[in-house]
């Protein structure tokens, strides 16, 4: 993405924000005016969660494809449409933004939003590349913004129950292994509609590319962007980020010190650059290992996390958890999911916008979980074992 912010411009914007940003202070009963940046399917879905909160008023919609704005307007009919997120951020009737663009726009949109004095809910992964995270954290902290990253397990009641019951209490014993998997995810296999084989006149392809080097319009890259490492991190950052964040939540550790990975494009010879099959392994200084495996090949589906300790093991998905005593084939305890975790995550953000507290998926948490995932991708691309210093946030020579 290149240089995200220039020092002088950053501090000029920060100074302007300090002087003027509190012209409108939200009271307990005030509506939060929300702008959506990125009106694709995920953006529209989370927008529905926002408008379901009585404290939110959706006032602005932004996308490079005006047809997407029209679709989002069905959720927020009174919102104004924008093509450029900079223009949306300059609007006086926007207090907070939901960023749901492809990953290659996350860093710039987050930093621009923080510098404009807006609170931020950004879909995961927070970053496309490992070096972007510290700059986003810096912008959010210097501008005193609330920033929630869309890792909704952080607000899911049954995940929080499992953390308290088995990890905080020590009931699971000494953890040695956290296994995670996500197979057959259809978001990485999206075909493009035939009517868009040629670039539509109301799609700004150059704006979509943004920091990505120029290439002619390709409907596969637009509609199936997760299959290309120029726009996202494939299954590792799209899926493993969710699961490694849940493991970080349980373990109260977010500091991997080593990574290895293996995989490839084994089945889908369709021009994609992200592997369709991938495994990775992260080592943590607390003497435990986290793994991820994912494949898009037909015949295998499912997703979950299993954390193995000396006194038991926790198996957990978004639908429920099961706890197993040592050497037992049947769970001793089960708990189904409670409520809607995405709604809970959105509601937590809204409450924090009012209280100015840090949300459950704060920017630092989102940065560290994305960072852990990036280590897996870097190890895969460089075909070597990585050694990482989590305090200095640097990859070290072996």
């Amino acid at each position: 993405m290149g240089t995200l912010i220039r020092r002088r411009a950053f501090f000029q914007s920060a100074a302007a924000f300090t002087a003027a940003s509190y012209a409108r202070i939200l009271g307990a009963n005030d509506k939060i005016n929300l702008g959506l940046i990125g009106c694709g399917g995920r953006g529209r879905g989370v927008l529905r969660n926002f408008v379901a909160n009585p404290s939110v008023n959706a006032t602005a919609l932004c996308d490079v494809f005006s047809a997407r704005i029209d679709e989002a307007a069905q959720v927020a009919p009174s919102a104004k449409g924008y093509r450029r997120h900079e223009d949306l951020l300059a609007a006086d009737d926007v207090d907070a933004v939901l960023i749901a663009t492809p990953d290659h726009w996350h860093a710039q949109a987050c930093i621009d939003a923080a510098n404009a004095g807006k609170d931020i809910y950004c879909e995961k992964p927070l970053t496309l590349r490992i070096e972007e995270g510290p700059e986003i954290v810096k912008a959010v902290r210097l501008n005193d913004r609330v920033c929630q990253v869309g890792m909704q397990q952080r607000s899911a009641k049954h995940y929080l129950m499992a953390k308290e019951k088995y990890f905080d209490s020590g009931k699971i014993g000494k953890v040695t292994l956290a296994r995670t998997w996500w197979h057959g995810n259809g978001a990485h296999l999206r075909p493009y509609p035939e009517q868009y084989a040629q670039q539509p006149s109301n799609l700004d392809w150059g704006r979509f590319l943004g920091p990505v080097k120029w290439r002619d319009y390709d409907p596969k890259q637009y509609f199936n962007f997760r299959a290309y490492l120029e726009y996202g991190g494939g299954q590792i950052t799209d899926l493993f980020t969710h699961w490694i964040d849940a493991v970080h939540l349980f373990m109260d550790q977010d500091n991997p010190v080593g990574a290895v990975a293996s995989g490839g494009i084994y089945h889908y010879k369709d021009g994609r650059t992200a592997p369709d099959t991938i495994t990775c392994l992260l080592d943590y200084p607390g003497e435990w290992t986290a793994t991820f495996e994912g494949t898009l090949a037909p015949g295998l589906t499912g997703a979950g996390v299993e954390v193995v300790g000396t006194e038991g093991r926790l198996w957990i998905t978004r639908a429920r958890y099961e706890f197993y005593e040592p050497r037992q084939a049947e769970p001793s305890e089960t708990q189904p999911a409670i409520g809607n975790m995405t709604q809970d995550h959105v509601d937590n953000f809204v409450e924090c916008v009012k209280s100015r507290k840090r949300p459950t998926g704060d920017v630092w948490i989102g940065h560290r979980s994305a960072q852990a995932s990036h280590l897996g991708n870097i190890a895969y691309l460089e075909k070597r074992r990585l050694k990482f210093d989590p305090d200095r946030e640097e990859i070290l020579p072996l």
Side-chain angles (χ1 to χ4, degrees):
M1 188 173 289
T3 302
L4 294 174
I5 50 175
R6 295 183 175 87
R7 182 181 300 272
R8 179 177 297 176
F10 177 85
F11 285 105
Q12 285 176 343
S13 61
F17 165 68
T18 301
S21 63
Y22 290 103
R24 179 176 184 267
I25 303 296
L26 290 171
N29 298 317
D30 284 342
K31 290 272 191 176
I32 296 167
N33 292 328
L34 179 80
L36 169 61
I37 301 173
C39 300
R42 181 60 183 171
R44 298 193 302 272
V46 180
L47 179 63
R48 292 186 181 92
N49 294 114
F50 270 98
V51 299
N53 186 302
S55 295
V56 173
N57 181 33
T59 57
L61 306 169
C62 177
D63 201 277
V64 300
F65 189 14
S66 65
R68 291 275 175 86
I69 296 177
D70 293 341
E71 291 172 338
Q74 297 176 27
V75 182
S78 62
K80 182 178 178 180
Y82 296 86
R83 183 177 64 84
R84 292 166 41 87
H85 75 271
E86 297 92 338
D87 297 331
L88 180 150
L89 294 173
D92 292 333
D93 62 346
V94 174
D95 304 308
V97 292
L98 163 60
I99 298 172
T101 64
D103 306 355
H104 68 296
W105 269 107
H106 283 186
Q108 190 67 64
C110 282
I111 290 171
D112 289 346
N115 290 342
K118 313 301 183 183
D119 294 318
I120 303 160
Y121 185 111
C122 182
E123 275 300 299
K124 60 80 222 150
L126 181 64
T127 51
L128 174 66
R129 295 196 298 268
I130 197 168
E131 64 268 20
E132 294 172 342
E135 293 297 325
I136 300 175
V137 173
K138 181 179 178 182
V140 168
R141 293 291 189 254
L142 283 176
N143 288 292
D144 194 25
R145 294 296 86 203
V146 174
C147 181
Q148 177 89 297
V149 182
M151 302 174 301
Q152 56 266 35
Q153 289 78 212
R154 287 272 171 172
S155 296
K157 294 180 177 65
H158 69 297
Y159 280 81
L160 298 174
M161 291 170 63
K163 171 178 169 54
E164 180 179 3
K165 194 164 189 177
Y166 306 117
F167 296 89
D168 295 348
S169 69
K171 182 176 180 179
I172 199 169
K174 162 63 178 171
V175 170
T176 59
L177 176 66
R179 298 176 53 244
T180 76
W181 61 95
W182 202 315
H183 302 302
N185 186 274
H188 296 253
L189 299 169
R190 289 177 174 166
Y192 65 87
E194 286 298 326
Q195 66 265 35
Y196 297 128
Q198 301 298 317
Q199 181 181 340
S201 60
N202 55 348
L203 167 60
D204 188 341
W205 174 247
R207 181 72 178 177
F208 170 79
L209 289 176
V212 175
K213 69 180 182 180
W214 176 259
R215 71 281 314 272
D216 291 336
Y217 171 73
D218 182 344
K220 292 189 296 184
Q221 293 189 34
Y222 178 76
F223 287 96
N224 197 32
F225 72 88
R226 289 181 179 86
Y228 299 87
L229 294 176
E230 296 91 333
Y231 310 109
Q235 296 174 83
I236 291 283
T237 62
D238 187 48
L239 306 175
F240 183 43
T241 297
H242 271 306
W243 286 167
I244 197 59
D245 183 65
V247 174
H248 288 174
L249 169 69
F250 293 145
M251 299 296 294
D252 286 321
Q253 295 177 38
D254 62 0
N255 54 346
V257 295
V260 293
S262 181
I265 303 170
Y266 298 148
H267 181 69
Y268 291 98
K269 309 295 186 178
D270 55 3
R272 69 181 57 231
T273 57
D276 60 30
T277 302
I278 186 78
T279 63
C280 78
L281 178 155
L282 303 178
D283 288 328
Y284 285 76
E287 298 184 331
W288 56 278
T289 294
T291 69
F292 172 76
E293 66 172 47
T295 184
L296 303 174
L300 189 60
T301 59
V305 175
E306 185 174 42
V307 185
V308 181
T310 56
E311 303 302 322
R313 60 186 173 93
L314 175 74
W315 181 94
I316 189 165
T317 71
R318 289 174 169 174
R320 70 185 191 280
Y321 75 65
E322 299 173 356
F323 186 77
Y324 295 79
E325 304 291 343
R327 294 174 293 280
Q328 296 298 311
E330 298 297 324
S332 59
E333 299 172 82
T334 63
Q335 173 63 54
I338 303 170
N340 181 322
M341 67 176 70
T342 301
Q343 188 66 57
D344 291 340
H345 207 50
V346 165
D347 292 346
N348 172 256
F349 170 71
V350 171
E351 183 57 37
C352 289
V353 169
K354 293 183 175 183
S355 69
R356 311 312 299 168
K357 294 180 180 178
R358 290 183 182 174
T360 58
D362 175 62
V363 64
W364 175 258
I365 292 170
H367 158 52
R368 294 289 270 197
S369 292
Q371 182 180 77
S373 300
H374 289 313
L375 292 177
N377 263 350
I378 295 169
Y380 162 74
L381 290 168
E382 297 186 359
K383 300 186 184 305
R384 68 182 180 96
R385 180 179 179 85
L386 299 183
K387 182 179 179 182
F388 188 67
D389 183 335
D391 296 322
R392 297 177 62 185
E393 299 190 318
E394 293 180 356
I395 296 174
L396 305 174
L398 290 174

